[in-house]
């Protein structure tokens, strides 16, 4: 087939010099003409990246790889025989089977005489992945790494081949769909929708205009072994069985919306290649390399692969304690363990511990294996706590995504974890199937599971410290919710850190106005109460509901989000009547910066309580802690830049790095005291990493156990940490970066001279192009939508800060995260401000 001319190559974004042909003697005794795109020699420290496309694409599928790192590495994207611009096989030639394709790849590699002194990395997609794996198992010592994109080597256990492939491979239909018409090509291209450009669609079709150009497409589909007696079935099965021979690093770059090589195939490869890393691209379909920025991810992965100074992942510390210690200590007691004020139910420690064992035994009887993921779809309450600890006791991994994420966010979170089991009411099981959150999971009704007795079922040993325990999802306040992996040792260390920081003992009793915090109760061995409040709207917690929960268990501690506390204050008509709240020794609030004015007002309701605000995140809690008295002293110190969150707690370390440090270059150095930078944290209870997000985890963990918090701030002369906002919300102004929280706090103080609770929140955002953004302030006020502030308010706002403010707007209610009702979505605010001001 004739190759495009130089002008066409350039129009397609391909350097014409990359297009090359070779006459290669084949293992079949025939010399074949191959076409490939070859960037030529890369840098002296680079690799050779050999890219193998699938069906029905061609070398152009790897355009982003060629362009992204073709200067640093030699990138070779081949056209398989009969495909792209390689030679078309004769009409009388037999179809090339899988074993021939693997041998073809070997013929080409041998002929190219690739520099053996450079690492060889195979990148492969679709059927190209099976072919590349076939060559790799025969040459494991020659492979330095593999990048596999939406491919597979076998049909995953428990399911059949994809329906669309079975349909296309059926008898006469195969020739019609794949060769005589362009249906198969067109269908593959259209799967990507608008995620690829119109030009990409044209180029993908270009080598396959006529039926004579599409024979290999039909042959590829015909080579799918849909039955055990298929000619290629044994050869593919042999490769699948030998994948363990490949001990080179492997990255799975996966388009999560693929209906052919879906997440089942990624899971299958992860089991066959247990050292593989996975990066899911949630919005991408089958042609993931063209639809998402896979090249940038692979570029970073190659940097790690070829680097010699990358530190190994820190080993999880072995703790003498476990998350079950609190229960073991009190499992014979008939004192209250958990009270649910919403469900009007309570349970004692002895019954709670027995039911945890019942759940564990029931799961073991049903076939749960250690490491199986279990989606916890039970509403917050006693049954949820029992089920979580029961899954842990059985060796399972709890997938916890609370309802505060919203229905869509909850579904995405559960689906991304791919649980083998779901536990919840029948309606949750129906939703997991109908809405396809976990359509292939085994669902168990929580009421039936909790009510079963252990019987003669022998429970396994308690999980070791390094066993995976939980996948906890973030709030999604600054992007899609991320699954955070925790091992048992990390959870135990976190529990111990909380107990040490707050002096928690057996005499304490906890009210959890933020439902996920109730999970700590059994681990700490303290009675715990859920408040009567909608978990999706913590900002609706009333003073009466909080007081009722406190009186129910004679509480000594209460945890609530800032929004919940604000509504408690707004509904506390008579502080003298809140006897349960008044007896608290400790009130703590976290999830977002807590205004000092709010804490002072809470102190009036609980005069004997220590008012504390732990600082942390889903990935690491606690990191720092501060009480109200220290906040007052800090604000009087004159620093005032942001929110003071106190000193690091015992066992935790904080590092403030330059705002634009390179996480791929290793652990950054600290900026001077008082300088604003990005906050990094380190502690034994920092989580293991992220679920199916290799790139996110890699950039969040620069080495030596440090985790990038995503927050910006500074340390003062007394070692106290001040938070100034999220790194994604820093305003990129002409005179340098401007952090939002110091602006917001200054305005809130100016607008609330009485020192009581502020009447409205404030958001400072950047509007305009990078490097010259303007500061826009949006204030919550009595407004029907987004409006310009009146002159007096605008003057007060501008007079409160020392940075130029381009516009002052008012809004009825600022958008906040669903989970805490407290984290302002500054990205959404900026988008609305841009639309309004334009």
């Amino acid at each position: 087939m004739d190759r495009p001319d130089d002008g066409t190559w350039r129009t397609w974004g391909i350097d014409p010099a990359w297009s090359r042909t070779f006459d290669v003697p084949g293992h079949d005794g025939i010399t074949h003409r191959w076409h490939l795109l070859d960037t030529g020699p890369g840098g002296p420290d680079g690799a050779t990246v050999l890219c193998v496309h699938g069906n029905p694409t061609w070398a152009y599928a790897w355009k982003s790889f060629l362009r992204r790192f073709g200067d640093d590495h030699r990138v070779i994207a081949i056209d398989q025989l009969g495909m792209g611009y390689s030679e078309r096989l004769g009409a009388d030639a037999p179809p090339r089977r899988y074993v021939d394709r693997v041998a073809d790849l070997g013929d080409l590699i041998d002929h190219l005489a690739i520099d053996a002194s450079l690492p060889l990395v195979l990148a492969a997609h679709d059927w190209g992945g099976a072919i590349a794996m076939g060559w790799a198992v025969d040459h494991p010592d020659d492979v330095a790494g593999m990048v596999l994109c939406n491919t597979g080597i076998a049909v995953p256990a428990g399911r059949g081949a994809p329906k669309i492939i079975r349909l296309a491979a059926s008898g006469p239909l195969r020739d019609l769909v794949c060769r005589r018409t362009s249906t198969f090509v067109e269908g593959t291209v259209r799967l990507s929708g608008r995620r690829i450009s119109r030009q990409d669609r044209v180029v993908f079709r270009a080598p396959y205009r006529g039926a004579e150009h599409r024979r290999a497409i039909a042959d590829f589909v015909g080579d799918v072994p849909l039955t055990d007696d298929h000619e290629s079935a044994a050869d593919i099965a042999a490769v699948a069985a030998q994948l363990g021979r490949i001990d080179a690093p492997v990255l799975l770059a996966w388009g999560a919306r693929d209906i052919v090589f879906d997440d089942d195939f990624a899971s299958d490869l992860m089991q066959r290649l247990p050292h593989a890393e996975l990066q899911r691209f949630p919005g991408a379909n089958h042609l993931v390399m063209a639809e998402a920025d896979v090249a940038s991810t692979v570029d970073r992965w190659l940097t790690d692969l070829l680097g010699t100074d990358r530190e190994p992942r820190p080993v999880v510390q072995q703790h003498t304690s476990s998350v079950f210690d609190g229960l073991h200590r009190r499992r014979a007691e008939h004192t209250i363990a958990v009270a649910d004020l919403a469900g009007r139910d309570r349970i004692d420690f002895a019954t709670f511990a027995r039911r945890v064992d019942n759940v564990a035994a029931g799961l073991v009887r049903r076939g749960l294996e250690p490491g199986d993921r279990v989606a916890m779809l039970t509403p917050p309450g006693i049954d949820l706590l029992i089920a979580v600890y029961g899954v842990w006791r059985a060796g399972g991994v709890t997938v916890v995504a609370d309802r505060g994420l919203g229905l869509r966010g909850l579904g995405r979170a559960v689906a991304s974890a791919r649980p083998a089991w779901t536990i919840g009411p029948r309606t949750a099981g129906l939703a997991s199937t109908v809405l396809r959150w976990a359509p292939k999971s085994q669902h168990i009704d929580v009421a039936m599971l909790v009510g079963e007795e252990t019987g003669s079922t022998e429970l396994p040993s308690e999980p070791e410290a390094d066993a995976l325990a939980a996948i906890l999802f973030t709030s999604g306040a600054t992007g899609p919710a991320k699954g955070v992996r925790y091992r048992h040792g990390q959870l135990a260390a976190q529990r111990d850190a909380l107990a040490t920081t707050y002096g928690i003992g057996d005499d304490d009793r906890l009210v959890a106005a933020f439902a996920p915090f109730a999970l700590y109760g059994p681990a700490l061995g303290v009675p715990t109460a859920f408040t009567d409040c909608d978990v999706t709207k913590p900002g609706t917690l009333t003073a009466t509901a909080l007081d009722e929960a406190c009186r129910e268990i004679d509480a000594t501690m209460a945890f609530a989000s800032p929004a919940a506390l604000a509504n408690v204050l707004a509904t506390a008509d008579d502080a003298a009547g809140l006897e349960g709240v008044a007896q608290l020794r400790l009130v703590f609030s976290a999830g977002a910066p807590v205004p000092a004015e709010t804490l002072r007002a809470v102190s009036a309701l609980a005069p004997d309580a220590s008012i504390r605000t732990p600082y942390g995140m889903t990935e690491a809690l606690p990191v720092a802690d501060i009480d109200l008295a220290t906040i007052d002293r800090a604000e009087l110190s004159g620093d005032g830049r942001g929110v003071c969150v106190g000193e690091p707690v015992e066992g935790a370390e904080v590092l403030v790095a330059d705002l634009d440090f390179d996480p791929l270059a290793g652990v950054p150095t600290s900026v001077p005291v008082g300088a604003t930078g990005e906050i990094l944290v380190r502690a034994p209870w920092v989580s293991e990493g992220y679920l199916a997000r290799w790139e996110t985890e890699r950039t969040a963990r620069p080495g030596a156990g440090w985790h990038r918090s995503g927050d910006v701030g500074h340390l003062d002369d007394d070692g106290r940490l001040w938070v100034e906002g999220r790194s994604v919300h820093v305003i990129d102004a002409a005179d340098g970066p401007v952090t939002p929280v110091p602006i917001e706090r200054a305005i809130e103080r100016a607008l609330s001279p009485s020192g009581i609770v502020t009447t409205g929140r404030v958001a400072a955002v950047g509007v305009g192009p990078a490097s010259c953004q303007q500061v826009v302030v949006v204030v919550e006020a009595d407004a029907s939508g987004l409006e310009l502030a009146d002159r007096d308010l605008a003057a007060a706002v501008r007079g409160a800060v020392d940075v130029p403010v381009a516009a002052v707007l008012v809004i009825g209610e600022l958008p906040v995260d669903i989970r805490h009702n407290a984290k302002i979505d500054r990205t959404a605010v900026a988008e609305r401000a841009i639309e309004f001001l334009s």
Side-chain angles (χ1 to χ4, degrees):
M1 182 166 183
D2 293 337
R3 285 187 288 164
D5 57 32
D6 288 359
T8 301
W9 282 123
R10 292 191 184 95
T11 300
W12 292 351
I14 299 293
D15 185 338
W18 295 346
S19 175
R20 305 173 64 190
T21 58
F22 294 89
D23 290 328
V24 179
H27 63 281
D28 55 3
I30 302 173
T31 297
H32 298 285
R33 173 154 289 192
W34 289 74
H35 172 258
L36 52 82
L37 300 175
D38 182 359
T39 62
D45 299 321
T48 300
V49 182
L50 184 67
C51 305
V52 187
H53 69 83
N55 187 35
T57 59
W58 59 287
Y60 179 81
W62 304 99
K63 171 185 171 181
S64 59
F65 282 37
L66 294 155
R67 295 175 63 87
R68 168 77 190 198
F69 42 82
D71 292 336
D72 297 323
H73 310 284
R74 182 183 181 186
V75 183
I76 304 171
I78 71 169
D79 280 345
Q80 298 199 56
L81 291 181
M83 305 290 283
Y85 293 96
S86 284
E87 139 187 333
R88 295 301 191 259
L89 303 178
D92 297 331
R96 298 193 88 69
R97 297 299 184 186
Y98 174 74
V99 66
D100 298 311
R101 293 288 183 184
V102 174
D104 288 340
L105 180 60
D107 294 340
L108 180 62
I109 291 173
D110 291 342
H111 183 79
L112 290 176
I114 296 171
D115 188 347
S117 67
L118 298 178
L120 175 62
V121 176
L122 297 179
H125 174 244
D126 189 84
W127 258 105
I131 293 166
M133 285 184 269
W135 186 86
V137 297
D138 289 335
H139 305 82
D141 296 335
D142 296 332
V143 180
M146 295 183 70
V147 178
L148 301 176
C149 304
N150 290 76
T151 183
I153 193 59
V155 175
R159 58 160 290 174
K163 293 180 181 179
I164 191 171
I165 297 300
R166 294 204 304 269
L167 182 63
S170 60
L173 191 60
R174 181 175 75 242
D175 190 56
L176 173 65
V177 168
C178 299
R179 186 186 66 84
R180 284 192 284 151
T181 70
S182 62
T183 303
F184 195 77
V185 175
E186 194 64 30
T188 301
V189 171
R190 289 187 178 275
L191 281 175
S192 299
R194 295 183 178 179
R195 290 178 296 276
I196 62 175
S197 67
R198 179 178 298 178
Q199 177 176 282
D200 281 341
R201 293 194 288 272
V202 170
V203 181
F204 274 120
R205 300 179 187 117
Y208 305 117
R209 294 191 184 112
E212 68 275 16
H213 304 142
R214 295 191 290 262
R215 178 193 162 177
I217 294 174
D219 287 348
F220 262 118
V221 172
D223 204 31
V224 177
L226 299 178
T227 59
D228 290 341
D229 59 355
H230 186 280
E231 189 171 344
S232 292
D235 294 318
I236 293 176
V239 171
Q242 298 178 72
L243 272 189
R245 299 183 63 190
I246 304 173
D247 57 7
V250 177
L251 175 67
L252 305 182
W254 221 259
R257 298 179 64 176
D258 192 353
I259 61 174
V260 181
F261 289 103
D262 60 16
D263 282 342
D264 285 347
F265 285 88
S267 179
D268 179 74
L269 288 175
M270 291 288 285
Q271 294 176 21
R272 298 176 187 276
L273 298 163
H275 55 287
E277 303 276 6
L278 173 62
Q279 173 65 46
R280 291 176 83 249
F281 295 88
N285 207 306
H286 185 62
L287 298 178
V288 61
M289 308 92 69
E291 298 176 41
D293 191 9
V294 176
S296 293
T297 299
V298 174
D299 198 6
R300 283 184 273 274
W301 183 79
L302 287 170
T303 299
D304 276 2
L305 177 71
L306 303 177
T308 58
D309 55 353
R310 174 70 175 155
E311 299 181 18
R313 182 188 300 275
V315 177
V316 177
Q317 295 188 11
Q318 297 292 322
H319 292 274
T320 56
S321 61
S322 83
V323 293
F324 300 103
D325 285 349
L327 278 180
H328 291 333
R329 196 169 64 248
R330 308 192 70 165
R331 69 177 297 127
E333 297 182 18
H334 291 281
T335 54
I336 187 169
V338 186
D340 180 3
L341 276 295
R344 302 297 164 181
D345 193 13
R346 56 161 49 196
I347 189 172
D348 62 34
F349 276 105
T351 306
F352 187 94
R354 186 180 72 252
R355 290 185 181 176
V356 166
D357 289 346
N358 292 346
V359 169
L363 290 169
V364 170
R365 281 196 300 272
R366 288 170 171 81
L368 183 139
E369 297 286 341
D372 279 359
R373 295 176 186 172
V374 185
M376 313 306 297
L377 300 181
T378 304
I382 294 173
D383 283 353
L384 173 62
L385 294 187
I386 293 172
V388 166
Y389 281 84
V391 170
W392 286 343
R393 185 62 188 83
V397 180
T398 55
V399 177
V400 181
D402 68 76
R403 290 165 56 198
L405 292 174
L407 187 64
R408 181 176 297 179
L410 176 62
R412 281 198 299 258
V414 172
S416 70
R418 298 185 55 72
W421 306 75
T422 56
I423 294 179
R426 293 182 179 179
T427 52
L430 182 64
S432 66
T433 301
V434 174
L435 300 180
R436 303 197 63 78
W437 295 354
K440 298 174 184 176
S441 65
Q442 181 172 338
H443 179 73
I444 306 176
D445 188 296
V446 65
M448 177 179 64
L449 190 63
V450 170
E452 289 183 351
E453 292 298 328
T454 304
S456 60
T457 303
E458 182 177 351
L459 293 178
S461 300
E462 289 186 5
E464 298 291 335
D466 62 351
L468 190 62
I471 299 170
L472 309 177
F473 280 84
T474 61
S475 67
T478 54
K482 299 183 289 292
V484 178
R485 307 193 317 271
Y486 269 99
R487 298 190 183 274
H488 276 275
Q490 291 158 340
L491 290 179
Q494 185 181 61
R495 184 271 320 277
D496 294 344
L498 289 169
T500 299
T501 301
Y502 299 108
I504 300 173
D506 286 352
D507 292 334
D508 280 307
R509 295 164 296 280
L510 169 69
V511 168
F514 175 53
F517 208 81
L519 291 171
Y520 294 110
L524 290 163
V526 299
T528 305
F530 291 92
T531 57
D532 185 2
C533 176
D534 184 348
V535 296
T536 67
K537 299 177 181 178
T540 62
L541 177 68
T542 65
T544 300
L546 177 61
D547 188 68
E548 182 185 14
C550 289
R551 285 187 283 107
E552 177 73 12
I553 61 170
D554 195 21
T556 62
M557 308 179 295
F559 181 93
S561 73
L565 288 183
N567 199 59
V568 165
L569 294 170
T571 55
D573 296 330
D574 182 9
L578 301 177
E579 297 176 0
V581 175
Q583 70 184 9
L584 294 171
R585 76 163 184 87
L586 174 65
V587 177
F588 41 177
S589 182
V594 189
E597 297 87 353
T598 298
L599 298 178
R600 293 189 193 102
V602 170
S603 182
L605 300 182
D608 297 328
S610 174
I611 312 297
R612 311 282 285 270
T613 61
Y615 166 70
M617 59 258 359
T618 306
E619 298 87 342
L621 179 77
V623 172
D625 177 71
I626 192 170
D627 60 17
L628 178 57
T630 307
I631 291 174
D632 287 337
R633 289 196 300 272
E635 293 209 346
L636 290 173
S637 69
D639 186 299
R641 286 165 44 217
V643 173
C644 185
V645 297
E647 298 180 28
V649 302
E650 182 179 335
E653 301 172 78
V654 169
L655 182 155
V656 179
D658 194 81
L659 285 174
D660 58 357
F661 83 92
D662 180 6
L664 300 183
V667 179
T669 57
S670 299
V671 298
V673 171
T676 296
E678 183 173 342
I679 300 169
L680 285 78
V681 302
R682 179 166 64 178
W685 52 89
V686 169
S687 60
E688 176 74 4
Y690 293 108
L691 172 70
R693 288 175 178 262
W694 175 86
E695 183 173 26
T696 303
E697 182 175 322
R698 173 63 186 90
T699 55
R701 303 290 167 92
W706 288 102
H707 169 71
R708 297 174 67 187
S709 70
D711 288 334
V712 294
H714 66 277
L715 289 165
D716 64 18
D717 292 332
D718 295 319
R720 298 173 302 203
L721 179 64
W722 293 73
V723 176
E724 302 178 43
R726 299 287 292 171
S727 59
V728 294
H729 296 150
V730 172
I731 300 167
D732 191 11
D735 294 333
V738 176
T739 52
V741 173
I743 297 174
E744 294 162 359
R745 289 294 297 131
I747 294 170
E748 286 168 352
R749 285 193 293 267
L751 298 182
S752 182
S754 61
I756 311 298
V757 183
T758 54
T759 55
R761 288 167 290 200
V762 177
V765 298
V767 170
S771 300
C772 58
Q773 286 188 321
Q774 305 296 308
V775 176
V776 172
V777 172
V778 183
V779 181
E780 276 189 347
D782 184 12
S784 57
L786 195 61
E787 305 171 3
L788 282 172
D790 61 38
R791 288 187 178 183
D792 290 342
L793 178 57
V797 166
R798 290 190 170 97
V801 297
D802 56 3
V803 297
V805 176
V808 181
L809 308 177
V810 293
I811 191 172
E813 186 175 7
L814 284 166
V816 293
D817 69 299
I818 299 176
R819 175 183 286 180
H820 300 286
N821 292 176
K823 295 179 180 177
I824 297 172
D825 187 346
R826 295 185 182 87
T827 302
V829 174
E831 290 173 352
R832 292 193 62 181
I834 290 170
E835 181 181 2
F836 176 82
L837 294 171
S838 64

